[in-house]
Amino acid sequence: MEQTGKRGFFTGVVKVACVVAAVYAAMVAVGKFVAKRCKELEEKNAGQKNKRYLAVMNGHVVKISEPVEEISIRAYLGGVTLDLTEAELEQDTQINITGLMSGVVIKVPPMVRVELQGTNILSGFANMVPNYETEDLPVITVYAESVMSGIAVQMVPEKEQ
């Protein structure tokens, strides 16, 4: 009787180990696919005014120092820091964010207006940029749709850039 109990225990352990190995292999495969997709997006962004970024279960730091008109960010269980302090901003720049359990921080230079719009579910939006009333400043409009995410826009003083 003890022989059957031990055999059943070890059979269960082997089954659990196989399931864990299969889940791990699937996560590695998905991770490689996502990394490849992120790299493809990065390569397509070079020299373009419209840029796209993807973060899935990882972090991504983006520093733009070329002309930009529109940026799309998709973050799922990950984070993106977007630094626009050296970017050549159009008069109207648009940033579209889709987030699921993620965080996005956007750093902007002084003397820009930021408008933050969107739909959030259990999320937080923070616009920490002073509200300049001057008409001729570049306007950055952030459209965000997020679930359980945090999105912050902050100004970086010139001395910190």
Side-chain angles (χ1 to χ4, degrees):
M1 200 97 136
E2 285 184 37
Q3 291 283 341
T4 308
K6 288 182 181 179
R7 185 178 306 160
F9 173 76
F10 288 117
T11 302
V13 169
V14 169
K15 286 180 183 178
V16 169
C18 288
V19 169
V20 168
V23 169
Y24 176 75
M27 288 179 64
V28 168
V30 168
K32 287 182 180 182
F33 171 78
V34 169
K36 181 180 177 185
R37 180 74 175 129
C38 290
K39 187 174 182 180
E40 288 172 1
L41 284 174
E42 285 284 333
E43 290 170 357
K44 288 180 183 178
N45 285 337
Q48 300 291 322
K49 284 189 172 186
N50 296 339
K51 301 181 181 301
R52 298 180 356 190
Y53 299 97
L54 174 66
V56 179
M57 294 188 292
N58 65 3
H60 202 56
V61 177
V62 179
K63 187 168 182 89
I64 298 176
S65 58
E66 56 189 16
V68 64
E69 189 174 280
E70 184 175 344
I71 300 170
S72 292
I73 298 172
R74 295 184 189 276
Y76 306 106
L77 300 161
V80 176
T81 298
L82 177 64
D83 188 345
L84 298 175
T85 55
E86 296 178 9
E88 297 174 31
L89 300 171
E90 297 289 326
Q91 187 61 28
D92 292 311
T93 301
Q94 182 174 322
I95 301 173
N96 301 306
I97 301 171
T98 303
L100 174 65
M101 294 192 286
S102 58
V104 177
V105 175
I106 302 169
K107 297 178 180 182
V108 299
M111 300 307 290
V112 297
R113 278 194 357 222
V114 176
E115 297 174 0
L116 187 56
Q117 304 172 9
T119 305
N120 66 10
I121 299 172
L122 300 172
S123 299
F125 292 170
N127 181 359
M128 297 175 277
V129 177
N131 187 11
Y132 300 109
E133 296 297 329
T134 308
E135 301 258 341
D136 60 343
L137 292 177
V139 177
I140 298 173
T141 305
V142 179
Y143 296 100
E145 295 179 351
S146 64
V147 177
M148 298 176 65
S149 299
I151 298 167
V153 184
Q154 56 190 356
M155 181 187 72
V156 177
E158 287 189 34
K159 62 184 172 199
E160 292 181 25
Q161 292 179 16

